[in-house]
Amino acid sequence: MKFDVKDAMTIKLDPVLPEMHKIDPKVRRAPVRDLTLSKHEIELALRNALRYIPEELHEELAPEFMEELMTRGRIYGYRFRPEGNIKAKSIDEYKGKCIEGKAIQLMIDNNLDFDVALYPYELVTYGETGQVMQNWMQYRLVMKYLENLTDEQTLVMESGHPLGLFRSHKTSPRVIITNSLMIGEFDNQKHWHKAVAMGVANYGQMTAGGWMYIGPQGIVHGTYNTVLNAARLKLGVPHDGDLRGHIFISSGLGGMSGAQGKAAKIANGVGIIAEVDISRINTRLEQGWIDECSDDLDQVFKWANEAKESKTPRAIAYHGNIVDLLEYCVKNNVHVELLSDQTSCHAQYDGGYCPQGLTFEERTKMLAEDKEGFCKLVDKTLKHHFELIKTLVDRGTYFFDYGNSFMKSVFDAGVKEIAKNGVDESEGFIFPSYVEDIMGPMLFDYGYGPFRWVCLSNKEEDLIKTDHAAMECIDKDRRGQDLDNYIWIRDAEKNQLVVGSQARILYQDEIGRLKIALKFNDMVRKGEVGPIMLGRDHHDVSGTDSPFRETSNIKDGSNIMADMATQCFAGNCARGMSMVALHNGGGVGIGKSINGGFGMVLDGSDRVDTILKAAMPWDVMSGVARRSWARNDHSIETAIQYNKDHKDTDHITIPYLVDDKIIEKEMAKVDEYEAKRHN
């Protein structure tokens, strides 16, 4: 059938072929993606991309899109990318009919900045495959929609595709985003690869496709908290001490993992971070987040030991494979105190993990030309990586999985030994996730998580004012966590954390987040600062269900359920957050987590105060309540206090705890019951 589509839409791409701009050879490019489509599916991919394009341009663009698909493995629509570097501007420089529409354009642009994005030409912000959208046609169309969005409409986004504008009301979300929410039977890597290549799925990671990524600063605080508390738990560092005189070894200096050297240094320790991609190391050197680099392990450890002895904070990059570094440690009997990994192991077969013996360039070439052989080398290296870690742990190393799916990828490589039960992942792994030992009991269970804000004026002075205001809201004498957070925000300006837009991260609990949010909105109201956008990482108390990461310290069997993240998302929609997102995957891979997130624009209005008072406590406490129901001690403690403090408005269901002796008495009868059943 033939339809007259062009007159049916007022918001659409122009029937003019954009000029093809030159690609900067200095900018990192995504590796060629594996193309597993049948001929029928290739046809669908081409049709799906061209449906964004006015018909008169189809004949010219069809061969261009086909070439992209067959040579890059995806249709990106490079022709539709704006020229040069895309950077977040001041909100006043964006067109729009409401403040939220302009604010969200700013957030999208920040995700695509050359200084922020991992592969900006392919719209990949971080995590090897985490995209803002699928292609540049979507980018152009979404920006048009946001320019036209009013404060009584909602833009609906489905895996990067702008479904359209729909009437709502002033207290509704302005944008609702979902990414890669695949039906259970098809929720796996095989079908996801096909769906992405066909242009119907977008892997938004956690904050890339939710447009709330604030550069690697976002995870610096989390890594800082983790290594600091790991040292306190395992190295005898006092509760008010830091990493001074201690070494932390890890791997990865890309998008999120770029935080590691910086975090170790802020914690006053010595960080040795392995990275195979010299361009990522150079980025961190230019930022000042790494102090020096060498491909000579003797030199690396000479620097590290000097800094350790003098108790001088230092961040050192090893240009090479982490497996080579660990081999060196085992062979030379180097005592490794703290060890982790932050490579993109959720995408280990898509370039997130580099096999031993290959340079980064060889990895990229093999990935494109011999995917099967590449995958075999990945599995071989992962097995060896595991053996080296096991040896070091036997010698006294504290190793923790940083939630990058490392242990799951080792298990998938065929190492059943890494599973606690030696059979499957249902009871976890023999090494702890950082959430199990550190983040869960010490932060998430109390409600502390990665609270974020962006100064939409893009003025540094506004950010400094908000830093000082946040400091005033923290009672540093309440808990050790509050003192750590106070020191973090006190030193944030000095530590030069900003990459991209003027943004900040600060771990806070429910009380802290609401207090700071209301304070900021009042500052906007009084004209002390320009408008602000609040957000968080989905890697938080209540935003994410993931048995291999965020909910790895949920031990009641519900760690495989996604009710919490979904309810968090739905609750934030109901309460009127400006932008609300629900994703599949996150940093652990498709089918392994569900992430719910939000963005909230502070315009100084009473309307925003009302939304904050309802939404901020829900966003945190819905997760604390679930953790409490899982019988996590600190969450029970926090939930009990919350019920006391909010007795007139809120009420959380709290579990009754059973005496262990009663359970033991009944469990002693299990064998007897089993014997009777089989007779």
Side-chain angles (χ1 to χ4, degrees):
M1 291 184 72
K2 192 75 175 171
F3 300 99
D4 190 7
V5 174
K6 65 181 180 183
D7 293 331
M9 295 185 292
T10 55
I11 302 172
K12 57 192 174 183
L13 297 184
D14 298 324
V16 179
L17 201 65
E19 183 184 346
M20 180 71 87
H21 301 296
K22 288 182 180 177
I23 287 177
D24 187 342
K26 297 176 185 173
V27 176
R28 278 186 300 271
R29 301 293 304 282
V32 174
R33 304 301 189 189
D34 194 27
L35 191 65
T36 58
L37 303 184
S38 67
K39 280 191 175 180
H40 171 66
E41 289 163 340
I42 288 171
E43 179 188 322
L44 280 177
L46 189 57
R47 289 185 183 277
N48 289 346
L50 287 168
R51 60 187 167 180
Y52 289 101
I53 310 295
E55 293 152 345
E56 53 262 51
L57 303 178
H58 284 183
E59 191 170 350
E60 191 166 354
L61 281 172
E64 194 172 295
F65 285 178
M66 177 62 88
E67 185 184 13
E68 285 184 18
L69 182 63
M70 302 310 290
T71 60
R72 304 290 308 181
R74 302 282 187 273
I75 297 173
Y76 296 110
Y78 293 114
R79 181 181 289 278
F80 290 86
R81 186 191 182 277
E83 185 177 13
N85 190 4
I86 297 170
K87 295 185 88 66
K89 303 180 288 252
S90 164
I91 190 169
D92 297 332
E93 294 179 58
Y94 289 94
K95 299 176 188 173
K97 296 178 179 178
C98 67
I99 188 171
E100 292 88 353
K102 294 193 285 185
I104 294 166
Q105 290 176 68
L106 186 158
M107 300 301 296
I108 292 171
D109 279 352
N110 189 60
N111 276 253
L112 297 166
D113 189 331
F114 285 167
D115 294 333
V116 173
L118 178 61
Y119 304 129
Y121 284 109
E122 288 75 36
L123 300 101
V124 175
T125 300
Y126 66 91
E128 203 60 39
T129 51
Q131 290 184 243
V132 176
M133 295 156 202
Q134 300 169 41
N135 56 58
W136 290 104
M137 295 83 78
Q138 290 180 342
Y139 169 85
R140 288 206 177 207
L141 193 53
V142 167
M143 295 305 253
K144 280 179 177 278
Y145 269 113
L146 291 170
E147 287 177 3
N148 284 278
L149 177 72
T150 74
D151 63 1
E152 293 187 321
Q153 291 175 314
T154 296
L155 172 62
V156 178
M157 295 291 305
E158 295 183 352
S159 276
H161 169 64
L163 193 71
L165 294 178
F166 295 88
R167 184 171 60 181
S168 54
H169 48 82
K170 292 182 188 295
T171 54
S172 298
R174 298 281 71 83
V175 180
I176 297 176
I177 303 167
T178 54
N179 277 303
S180 287
L181 297 181
M182 305 183 75
I183 302 297
E185 187 168 339
F186 305 94
D187 195 5
N188 53 58
Q189 285 284 330
K190 177 187 171 185
H191 285 99
W192 172 76
H193 271 289
K194 282 183 174 286
V196 171
M198 286 190 288
V200 295
N202 184 58
Y203 187 67
Q205 275 281 356
M206 293 206 270
T207 52
W211 308 334
M212 279 306 304
Y213 188 64
I214 62 168
Q217 175 188 177
I219 200 161
V220 176
H221 197 349
T223 308
Y224 159 82
N225 270 327
T226 302
V227 297
L228 196 59
N229 286 297
R232 293 167 180 170
L233 277 174
K234 302 296 179 178
L235 304 182
V237 171
H239 70 92
D240 57 349
D242 56 27
L243 221 59
R244 215 176 299 262
H246 297 283
I247 295 176
F248 166 61
I249 294 175
S250 189
S251 176
L253 284 171
M256 294 292 259
S257 58
Q260 298 191 96
K262 185 74 169 176
K265 198 171 173 181
I266 293 173
N268 287 318
V270 181
I272 302 174
I273 316 299
E275 172 59 66
V276 291
D277 181 358
I278 191 66
S279 75
R280 302 182 197 195
I281 293 174
N282 288 336
T283 296
R284 303 306 169 206
L285 283 167
E286 288 164 12
Q287 288 172 340
W289 285 26
I290 291 291
D291 295 311
E292 58 252 312
C293 167
S294 176
D295 59 5
D296 181 341
L297 284 165
D298 287 332
Q299 180 63 67
V300 165
F301 279 96
K302 182 175 181 289
W303 285 335
N305 287 322
E306 287 171 354
K308 178 184 176 181
E309 290 305 312
S310 64
K311 296 186 176 180
T312 304
R314 203 165 188 177
I316 304 161
Y318 166 58
H319 181 214
N321 199 301
I322 181 65
V323 181
D324 292 334
L325 188 154
L326 297 183
E327 273 187 351
Y328 178 94
C329 293
V330 169
K331 182 182 175 182
N332 293 281
N333 207 26
V334 175
H335 176 52
V336 178
E337 296 177 296
L338 299 175
L339 176 63
S340 191
D341 189 279
Q342 267 194 42
T343 54
S344 299
C345 280
H346 67 282
Q348 72 270 43
Y349 303 122
D350 293 314
Y353 185 86
C354 184
Q356 189 180 22
L358 296 185
T359 65
F360 182 72
E361 292 72 25
E362 290 167 342
R363 156 267 197 192
T364 304
K365 189 171 186 288
M366 192 175 184
L367 191 58
E369 297 176 0
D370 182 12
K371 183 71 177 284
E372 186 178 347
F374 178 83
C375 293
K376 286 179 180 175
L377 285 181
V378 167
D379 285 348
K380 182 182 177 183
T381 304
L382 282 166
K383 290 173 184 176
H384 187 38
H385 197 160
F386 166 72
E387 292 295 335
L388 292 166
I389 291 171
K390 199 166 66 160
T391 300
L392 290 168
V393 168
D394 289 342
R395 295 179 183 179
T397 297
Y398 175 61
F399 171 80
F400 56 93
D401 187 319
Y402 199 85
N404 62 335
S405 221
F406 173 75
M407 288 192 291
K408 175 67 166 102
S409 68
V410 170
F411 179 85
D412 291 343
V415 183
K416 304 302 180 197
E417 182 189 348
I418 200 168
K420 273 184 183 175
N421 60 16
V423 177
D424 58 33
E425 316 99 303
S426 62
E427 296 174 36
F429 300 106
I430 61 172
F431 304 129
S433 156
Y434 74 121
V435 171
E436 284 181 282
D437 272 13
I438 303 165
M439 294 289 275
M442 301 180 77
L443 293 164
F444 290 172
D445 285 356
Y446 288 103
Y448 293 98
F451 181 60
R452 298 175 174 182
W453 64 91
V454 178
C455 294
L456 298 171
S457 66
N458 227 359
K459 293 177 180 176
E460 186 181 3
E461 57 260 41
D462 279 9
L463 185 60
I464 294 168
K465 288 176 185 175
T466 58
D467 285 345
H468 288 286
M471 281 172 61
E472 292 170 10
C473 293
I474 298 172
D475 178 5
K476 61 182 185 293
D477 300 320
R478 183 178 59 146
R479 294 192 190 111
Q481 295 94 324
D482 295 301
L483 177 60
D484 286 346
N485 290 327
Y486 180 85
I487 292 168
W488 166 269
I489 197 67
R490 182 196 68 193
D491 296 342
E493 185 187 348
K494 178 184 74 176
N495 287 322
Q496 297 181 316
L497 297 164
V498 171
V499 180
S501 61
Q502 295 294 321
R504 188 70 77 219
I505 179 172
L506 172 63
Y507 270 60
Q508 285 292 285
D509 65 351
E510 177 265 331
I511 293 170
R513 294 191 215 196
L514 181 57
K515 195 173 179 180
I516 292 169
L518 290 170
K519 172 71 174 174
F520 285 179
N521 197 45
D522 190 52
M523 290 169 72
V524 176
R525 185 161 39 241
K526 291 174 177 174
E528 296 171 11
V529 293
I532 293 167
M533 190 159 185
L534 300 180
R536 58 163 169 77
D537 194 341
H538 304 347
H539 164 252
D540 198 3
V541 180
S542 52
T544 300
D545 285 298
S546 175
F548 307 117
R549 186 159 70 177
E550 287 82 356
T551 47
S552 57
N553 73 322
I554 299 288
K555 303 295 187 182
D556 68 345
S558 70
N559 59 334
I560 62 171
M561 307 302 292
D563 294 296
M564 178 179 72
T566 309
Q567 287 286 1
C568 185
F569 162 82
N572 283 336
C573 283
R575 289 164 177 81
M577 292 287 204
S578 305
M579 180 172 67
V580 193
L582 189 69
H583 310 299
N584 182 0
V588 290
I590 284 294
K592 300 184 180 77
S593 72
I594 297 293
N595 309 282
F598 79 85
M600 184 68 208
V601 177
L602 308 185
D603 62 5
S605 66
D606 293 340
R607 172 187 63 87
V608 165
D609 279 348
T610 302
I611 292 171
L612 290 172
K613 288 171 185 175
M616 295 300 290
W618 161 258
D619 187 68
V620 179
M621 293 306 298
S622 62
V624 173
R626 187 270 185 97
R627 293 167 185 278
S628 166
W629 191 242
R631 295 183 290 272
N632 292 9
D633 288 348
H634 296 315
S635 287
I636 294 174
E637 169 194 332
T638 305
I640 289 172
Q641 187 61 49
Y642 187 82
N643 278 358
K644 287 180 183 174
D645 295 342
H646 297 80
K647 61 180 187 296
D648 295 328
T649 56
D650 299 15
H651 193 274
I652 292 169
T653 307
I654 297 170
Y656 294 101
L657 303 180
V658 187
D659 190 313
D660 289 347
K661 291 177 182 175
I662 295 173
I663 299 295
E664 288 165 10
K665 183 180 176 183
E666 296 308 309
M667 288 304 297
K669 303 173 184 175
V670 170
D671 290 343
E672 185 184 333
Y673 279 117
E674 288 290 334
K676 285 180 181 177
R677 189 161 42 217
H678 290 104
N679 286 335

